[in-house]
């Protein structure tokens, strides 16, 4: 009869208990790093802000994956950055690293041999070298111009060897660099949209003015316009509404609901007599997601955009928001 234990018998901890332990270990390391931020941090941010080229980020193995993510974060938040694989660097990609750049190298031990050629290249051409490592006395730590040390915290894996805590701390430190530079550059929502034109991120930052209909596309009538002409205008423009305007200012709105409420003597009336006064509107600079929220809350399908003086600027339809990816 076999005496081998099943997986459940061999480990008394539940998966949830293991997960909580991992998160606790990594959280404690992050807290320690936040309480004792590397002394070179401010100097590193100041130096990176001066870079005329790009921030080159590199690492091997798990550190390489973290390096690629940090480079992407920097690039998307106003700091030109690029990930360079250290193995490829030794076979020609060192040409991607110029005197105008600065280099961030990541290695928990500071002795990753694949980084040697990048270190030598930086020393040869006086390229600023920033090290992120746990060991200040390591080769990487000694060769760097700036040193960002990781906390001396245990890895969260069962054998204490798989990169877990160290990569989490490296990622957090890289994010801290990116966000610090982002804020100091005055990087705003509009800049973020320029780097994220596609997908949900871009859609959530679109302004009403980016999609609204303007000029001759707008269904516009005056207060004295007969309802027969008003219906023709509404039908021709196809939004199911009409704006009642005087001297360019939005006074009222005619909707399908207004038409139904006045159906008995509709054709004998004017636009001003049928319209709803003080209609809901939105500023052209408002977020498109905000406009969608107003339409959903008030169960309407179209919203006129006016400036702060009440001048009619455009119209946004719920279909415009959906086409743009705002949902």
């Amino acid at each position: 009869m076999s005496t081998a234990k099943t997986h459940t018998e061999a480990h008394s901890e539940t998966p949830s208990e293991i997960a909580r332990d991992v998160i606790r270990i990594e959280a404690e390391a992050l807290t320690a790093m936040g309480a004792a931020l590397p002394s070179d941090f401010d100097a590193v941010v100041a130096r990176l802000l001066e870079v005329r080229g790009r921030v080159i980020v590199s690492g091997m193995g798990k550190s390489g994956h973290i390096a690629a993510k940090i480079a992407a974060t920097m690039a998307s938040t106003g700091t030109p950055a690029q990930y360079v694989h250290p193995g490829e660097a030794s076979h020609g990609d060192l040409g991607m690293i110029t005197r105008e750049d600065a280099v961030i190298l990541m290695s928990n031990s500071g002795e990753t041999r694949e980084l040697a050629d990048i270190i030598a290249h930086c020393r040869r051409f006086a390229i600023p070298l920033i090290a992120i490592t746990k060991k200040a006395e390591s080769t990487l730590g000694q060769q760097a111009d700036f040193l960002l040390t990781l906390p001396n915290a245990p890895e969260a894996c069962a054998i204490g060897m798989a990169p877990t805590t160290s990569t989490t701390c490296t990622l957090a430190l890289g994010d801290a660099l990116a966000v610090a530079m982002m804020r100091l550059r005055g990087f705003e929502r509009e800049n973020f949209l320029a780097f994220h034109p596609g997908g949900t991120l871009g859609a959530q930052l679109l302004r009403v003015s980016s999609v609204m209909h303007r000029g001759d596309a707008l269904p516009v009538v005056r207060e004295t316009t007969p309802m027969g002409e008003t219906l023709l205008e509404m039908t021709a423009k196809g939004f199911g509404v009409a704006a009642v305007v005087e001297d360019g200012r939005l006074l009222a709105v005619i909707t399908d609901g207004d038409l139904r409420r006045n159906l008995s003597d509709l054709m004998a009336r004017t636009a001003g007599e049928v319209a709803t006064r003080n209609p809901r509107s939105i500023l052209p600079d408002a977020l498109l997601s905000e406009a969608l929220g107003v339409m959903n809350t008030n169960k309407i399908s179209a919203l006129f955009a006016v400036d702060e003086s009440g001048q009619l600027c455009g119209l946004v339809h719920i279909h415009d928001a959906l086409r743009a990816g705002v949902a």
Side-chain angles (χ1 to χ4, degrees):
M1 181 176 179
S2 173
T3 59
K5 292 183 179 181
T6 65
H7 182 78
T8 301
E9 293 171 333
H11 300 281
S12 59
E13 293 178 294
T14 67
S16 294
E17 289 172 335
I18 295 170
R20 280 191 286 270
D21 194 45
V22 169
I23 293 170
R24 176 188 59 78
I25 292 170
E26 297 193 0
E28 288 176 354
L30 289 173
T31 300
M33 186 170 67
L37 203 62
S39 59
D40 277 358
F41 187 85
D42 287 359
V44 168
V45 172
R47 185 64 185 86
L48 292 179
L49 287 171
E50 295 173 352
V51 170
R52 299 175 63 183
R54 294 162 299 172
V55 177
I56 305 297
V57 194
S58 186
M60 193 67 191
K62 307 300 184 295
S63 293
H65 295 303
I66 299 298
K69 189 275 178 186
I70 290 172
T73 298
M74 288 183 176
S76 70
T77 54
T79 299
Q82 178 180 342
Y83 169 70
V84 172
H85 191 287
E88 298 297 335
S90 298
H91 295 275
D93 282 2
L94 281 176
M96 296 180 178
I97 307 173
T98 74
R99 289 184 174 90
E100 301 295 316
D101 301 331
V103 173
I104 300 175
L105 292 184
M106 303 174 179
S107 170
N108 191 41
S109 68
E111 300 295 345
T112 305
R113 62 179 181 272
E114 289 87 354
L115 301 181
D117 288 338
I118 298 181
I119 294 173
H121 184 75
C122 290
R123 300 303 76 192
R124 178 183 178 187
F125 294 104
I127 298 168
L129 177 59
I130 299 151
I132 298 181
T133 180
K134 184 184 289 186
K135 298 183 178 181
E137 70 281 3
S138 64
T139 301
L140 175 58
Q142 293 297 311
Q143 290 294 322
D145 299 300
F146 303 93
L147 180 61
L148 299 177
T149 51
L150 299 172
N152 187 22
E155 300 289 5
C157 71
I159 59 175
M161 298 181 67
T164 47
T165 305
S166 58
T167 48
T168 297
C169 289
T170 302
L171 178 60
L173 195 54
D175 285 343
L177 289 173
V179 173
M181 290 188 289
M182 175 185 179
R183 292 186 183 178
L184 292 172
R185 290 185 194 278
F187 194 87
E188 303 292 344
R189 296 173 70 96
E190 290 76 11
N191 306 114
F192 195 76
L193 175 58
F195 293 147
H196 298 79
T200 303
L201 287 175
Q204 294 301 321
L205 292 172
L206 280 176
R207 304 286 180 180
V208 169
S209 57
S210 300
V211 301
M212 70 183 187
H213 304 270
R214 309 166 186 260
D216 292 339
L218 299 179
V220 174
V221 296
R222 301 185 65 178
E223 287 189 278
T224 56
T225 303
M227 280 306 300
E229 294 180 23
T230 300
L231 288 173
L232 290 175
E233 177 73 359
M234 293 175 68
T235 302
K237 301 304 170 63
F239 296 111
V241 295
V244 179
V245 174
E246 189 68 37
D247 296 327
R249 295 183 69 252
L250 179 66
L251 301 180
V253 169
I254 300 175
T255 67
D256 288 337
D258 295 315
L259 299 180
R260 289 192 296 271
R261 283 188 290 272
N262 294 275
L263 195 56
S264 60
D265 59 349
L266 183 64
M267 302 308 291
R269 310 187 76 177
T270 64
E273 293 171 332
V274 172
T276 298
R277 302 282 169 168
N278 301 315
R280 291 178 179 83
S281 62
I282 197 161
L283 293 171
D285 288 339
L287 292 175
L288 185 55
S289 56
E290 181 183 345
L292 181 61
V294 173
M295 287 187 277
N296 285 335
T297 299
N298 294 283
K299 295 180 173 56
I300 56 178
S301 59
L303 191 62
F304 285 101
V306 300
D307 63 20
E308 294 184 358
S309 66
Q311 292 288 311
L312 179 63
C313 299
L315 176 148
V316 60
H317 194 275
I318 193 168
H319 291 162
D320 300 320
L322 297 176
R323 277 193 294 269
V326 179

